[in-house]
Amino acid sequence: QLQAYGGGLAQAGGFLRLSCAASGSTFIINSIAWYRQAPGEQREFLAGIRRGGRANDYADSVKGRFTFSRDAARNTVYLQMNSLNPEDTAVYFCGGNIWTPSKGSIDYWGQGTQVTVSS
């Protein structure tokens, strides 16, 4: 299970930090990343570790402003979002491919958290 939190309202130029915690008895995270979906738009990849990748990957739209990090001990990933602008307004999701003994490797999505940036 993935649970995301930390969204809210920010002013343009401000910052927010999102967190996403993975929970369960026994699991292995194959990939995990942040995505967002604005009204009327498709869900887009923002930052994270893609399956088979080793390094953090970023979308061009957030490169240099957003930072993905991971605390393996807490099974938690973060998205530090700086220099926010109104175009960053969207519902933010964490998603990943996670292996469990009972289900094997499948994709999980956390519930979205709303980020609203005012001008």
Side-chain angles (χ1 to χ4, degrees):
Q1 182 179 3
L2 296 174
Q3 184 169 2
Y5 47 96
L9 179 65
Q11 291 187 335
F15 62 91
L16 286 172
R17 188 192 196 207
L18 305 182
S19 302
C20 175
S23 62
S25 57
T26 303
F27 59 92
I28 298 173
I29 297 175
N30 296 317
S31 65
I32 189 164
W34 287 98
Y35 302 77
R36 70 184 178 189
Q37 188 167 19
E41 302 289 334
Q42 290 187 336
R43 189 171 298 185
E44 65 169 325
F45 168 85
L46 295 178
I49 304 171
R50 302 209 208 219
R51 191 167 188 181
R54 296 182 180 181
N56 297 346
D57 195 10
Y58 292 91
D60 289 341
S61 59
V62 303
K63 199 172 294 184
R65 299 190 299 123
F66 291 7
T67 302
F68 174 89
S69 61
R70 180 177 179 178
D71 184 337
R74 290 185 170 87
N75 291 312
T76 300
V77 297
Y78 305 94
L79 186 67
Q80 178 67 41
M81 306 186 293
N82 297 330
S83 301
L84 288 165
N85 59 62
E87 289 70 37
D88 294 316
T89 295
V91 179
Y92 285 66
F93 299 87
C94 61
N97 184 271
I98 299 175
W99 177 91
T100 60
S102 59
K103 298 181 179 180
S105 293
I106 63 174
D107 292 336
Y108 290 85
W109 290 98
Q111 87 289 358
T113 183
Q114 177 70 45
V115 171
T116 302
V117 183
S118 62
S119 58

